[in-house]
Amino acid sequence: MATTTATIDLPVPAERVWQLIGGFGSLPDWLPYIPESTLSEGGRVRSLTNEEGGVIVERLEAFDNQARTYSYSILQSPFPVTGYRSTLTVHEVAGGQSRVEWSGTFTPAGTSEEEAISLFHGIYTEGLAALRRTLGA
């Protein structure tokens, strides 16, 4: 099983960051390459549409508002992996700032481990950079 993690430090209070990214359907609010998210199954499943019209379906596996974290798995996607599980967490750090961590574990399918890690590390890194821009930080 492969893993990757990306983090970003933001000069923004953790609670403000969590208010923006903590909703399972909130990706379009801060991630430009996901312009559409539709929730189903009582908010536990999200169907995402990317800029190219591709569909990704994910299931909320764990949610902890107090700890500002949630984990999800992929049910359907164009990505060359199986067993995908990811966690997004907002940590409070000194001085009223925050650290956002986005990590994932998965098994490459039809691609090398290095290529799969590179793909998701790029998605996480670009996503966190988009978060910084959205917050104006």
Side-chain angles (χ1 to χ4, degrees):
M1 186 160 280
T3 64
T4 189
T5 301
T7 61
I8 192 167
D9 291 332
L10 299 167
V12 177
E15 187 57 35
R16 179 172 165 221
V17 176
W18 182 244
Q19 285 173 351
L20 175 62
I21 72 172
F24 194 53
S26 72
L27 287 180
D29 296 342
W30 61 276
L31 206 54
Y33 58 84
I34 301 290
E36 188 178 329
S37 176
T38 304
L39 295 176
S40 61
E41 294 189 27
R44 294 183 311 274
V45 172
R46 65 184 176 195
S47 296
L48 308 171
T49 304
N50 65 22
E51 290 176 318
E52 294 83 39
V55 175
I56 304 158
V57 181
E58 299 172 333
R59 175 177 296 282
L60 183 64
E61 299 290 350
F63 182 89
D64 186 333
N65 195 54
Q66 190 81 20
R68 296 185 197 97
T69 187
Y70 71 80
S71 297
Y72 62 95
S73 60
I74 290 180
L75 303 177
Q76 170 194 331
S77 81
F79 304 128
V81 298
T82 61
Y84 179 94
R85 185 166 173 129
S86 183
T87 301
L88 189 61
T89 305
V90 180
H91 301 279
E92 193 167 340
V93 295
Q97 300 193 37
S98 59
R99 173 172 293 136
V100 181
E101 180 179 291
W102 197 351
S103 63
T105 60
F106 42 86
T107 301
T111 190
S112 72
E113 185 169 301
E114 294 78 21
E115 288 172 327
I117 288 170
S118 178
L119 171 70
F120 284 104
H121 192 76
I123 289 170
Y124 300 162
T125 301
E126 291 171 24
L128 294 176
L131 173 62
R132 177 187 297 276
R133 289 189 298 275
T134 299
L135 288 166

